[in-house]
């Protein structure tokens, strides 16, 4: 069973590295945000797997906090994108 859990943790770490590459190289801000959401959910999954394999219940609490922070980051990104879109549409109306 521990080999399975260690394999799952390794796969999750590989997914985190792919997500980090997408954040670094992403051509659009939306691509970067989706990769950071992947980072958050994969990080939560990795923490839960590690909590199970190491018998550390405190890691579950850390996973919960990371999940909440990922939601807040998503809300902040969407709010920023909407503000930029409104500013762009208001600027276009003035020019016309």
């Amino acid at each position: 069973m521990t080999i399975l859990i260690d394999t799952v943790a390794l796969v999750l770490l590989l997914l985190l590295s792919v997500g980090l590459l997408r954040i670094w190289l992403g051509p659009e801000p939306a691509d970067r945000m989706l990769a950071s959401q992947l980072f958050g959910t994969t990080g939560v999954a990795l923490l839960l797997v590690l909590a199970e394999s190491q018998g550390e219940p405190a890691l579950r609490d850390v996973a919960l906090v990371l999940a909440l922070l990922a939601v807040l980051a998503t809300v902040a990104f969407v709010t920023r994108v909407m503000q930029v879109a409104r500013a762009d549409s208001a600027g276009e109306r003035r020019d016309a």
Side-chain angles (χ1 to χ4, degrees):
M1 185 68 171
T2 58
I3 294 173
L4 177 65
I5 290 176
D6 291 341
T7 304
V8 169
L10 183 63
V11 169
L12 289 172
L13 280 174
L14 290 173
L15 285 174
L16 278 174
S17 63
V18 170
L20 185 61
L21 271 173
R22 179 49 56 190
I23 289 173
W24 190 21
L25 300 174
E28 299 288 327
D31 293 333
R32 290 188 169 107
M33 187 60 215
L34 286 174
S36 68
Q37 285 178 337
L38 171 74
F39 217 74
T41 55
T42 307
V44 168
L46 182 62
L47 284 169
L48 291 174
V49 167
L50 290 176
E52 185 65 31
S53 71
Q54 295 179 358
E56 289 286 334
L59 288 176
R60 291 186 183 110
D61 296 334
V62 175
L64 180 62
V65 170
L66 183 60
L68 292 172
L69 288 175
V71 169
L72 290 176
T74 302
V75 169
F77 175 77
V78 170
T79 303
R80 180 175 175 262
V81 167
M82 292 301 291
Q83 287 175 351
V84 168
R86 285 186 192 137
D88 287 346
S89 66
E92 289 173 2
R93 279 189 240 142
R94 289 183 193 153
D95 293 338

